[in-house]
DNA sequence: TCAAGTCACTACGATGATCGTAGTGATCAT
DNA sequence: ATGATCACTACGATCATCGTAGTGACTTGA
């Protein structure tokens, strides 16, 4: 990302300068979909990011106002990363990427019925994603996950 | 993008492997918003991509089924790049990126009223973008641009 | 209390990607 | 024929990422 910043006022370019590298959105995805919040949790993901790159990404996402760092009050070794409101605003982008990929990847791991549910109730699902993540939950993992909420509604 | 492909079936990861580098979506943006279709037009953009990188991106986007190359029938030096249907499917992602950036970039070049118009009529505007680009137009440039269509409606 | 484990993160050499500039050959306009 | 224009390629320098191996602060369990 050597591209001189400030050379373009195009909003697509602005976004790509903030999170358009191959790793940033995967970190955001880990928070939103899987409820990950710490360095080692990000490090253990399926895509095997290296620690120095992860460290750099966490710094740049924090600088961009997308993530917020906070020390864990009980275990002082731990640092917790949470999405800011600005970071939560990336959810619609991820949802669209997931929808595109589910449509074009023959080996996608995205369940077809979940993708259909999100596509047909997009504004509500996006809002539900954001509210759930805002209070510490995630889309797929945990008792208060969006998945659990939807299953409770459907039961 | 050294990340071993096939290591993850996550749809966000799939999308990022296809167009998640810092340049691919800018090429797609040039087609959709500005009606660019040739190597030198892409090269002349505000963000100053280098020719070798552009060449590599055009190859990978073509391999990914997002762009289609065709020789110009009248000028045989020319090669034209167009979006495939799969490439047109990236429009909602770009629209969301533009909306996020317009909301968070104090120096954004995106007109506020245009962003508002798109936000409030998203499905229709996305469909209009796609139809216009499909028949060779673009969002902002040309007689048949989406901008011109909207202005004609409002007149 | 003390050793062992875990935490976030840094160091570092090797590899790969991107940068900017300068071409190249094919084709077109005059 | 000449010069301009087309889509690229070549290439050395610089930058980013990769993978592995640590580091110091802190916590845990005996």
């Amino acid at each position: 990302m050597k591209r001189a910043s400030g050379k373009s006022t195009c909003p697509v370019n602005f976004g790509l300068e903030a999170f358009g590298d191959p790793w940033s959105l995967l970190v955001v995805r880990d928070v939103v979909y899987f409820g990950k919040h710490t360095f080692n949790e990000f490090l253990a993901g399926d895509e095997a990011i290296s620690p120095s790159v992860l460290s750099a990404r966490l710094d740049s996402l924090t600088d961009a106002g997308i993530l917020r760092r906070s020390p864990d009050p009980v275990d002082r070794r731990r640092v917790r990363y949470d999405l800011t409101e600005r970071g939560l605003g990336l959810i619609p982008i991820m949802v669209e990427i997931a929808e595109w990929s589910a449509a074009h990847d023959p080996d996608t791991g995205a369940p077809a019925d979940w993708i259909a549910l999100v596509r047909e109730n997009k504004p509500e699902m996006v809002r539900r994603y954001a509210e759930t993540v805002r209070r510490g939950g995630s889309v797929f993992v945990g008792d208060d996950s969006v998945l659990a909420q939807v299953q409770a509604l459907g039961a």
Side-chain angles (χ1 to χ4, degrees), chain A residues 4-86:
Chain A
S5 52
K7 278 282 178 63
S8 158
T9 62
C10 166
V12 175
N13 185 55
F14 179 85
L16 293 176
E17 285 185 10
F19 56 79
D21 64 283
W23 290 112
S24 289
L25 277 187
L26 291 180
V27 172
V28 176
R29 174 208 60 181
D30 279 347
V31 178
V32 171
Y33 285 89
F34 305 122
K36 298 182 180 181
H37 293 279
T38 68
F39 196 94
N40 283 342
E41 285 173 342
F42 297 132
L43 209 52
D46 281 346
E47 290 94 1
I49 190 172
S50 83
S52 50
V53 174
L54 174 58
S55 183
R57 287 298 145 259
L58 292 172
D59 283 351
S60 71
L61 287 169
T62 303
D63 290 348
I66 291 169
L67 290 180
R68 174 180 41 239
R69 313 163 41 111
S70 51
D72 186 307
V74 12
D75 185 342
R76 287 190 300 171
R77 291 172 304 180
R78 278 206 155 94
V79 175
R80 181 181 171 95
Y81 292 90
D82 282 286
L83 286 171
T84 63
E85 284 302 310
R86 179 179 296 201

Side-chain angles (χ1 to χ4, degrees), chain A residues 90-103:
Chain A
L90 297 174
I91 289 173
I93 297 168
M94 272 190 303
V95 165
E96 294 293 345
I97 293 174
E99 193 174 326
W100 184 90
S101 299

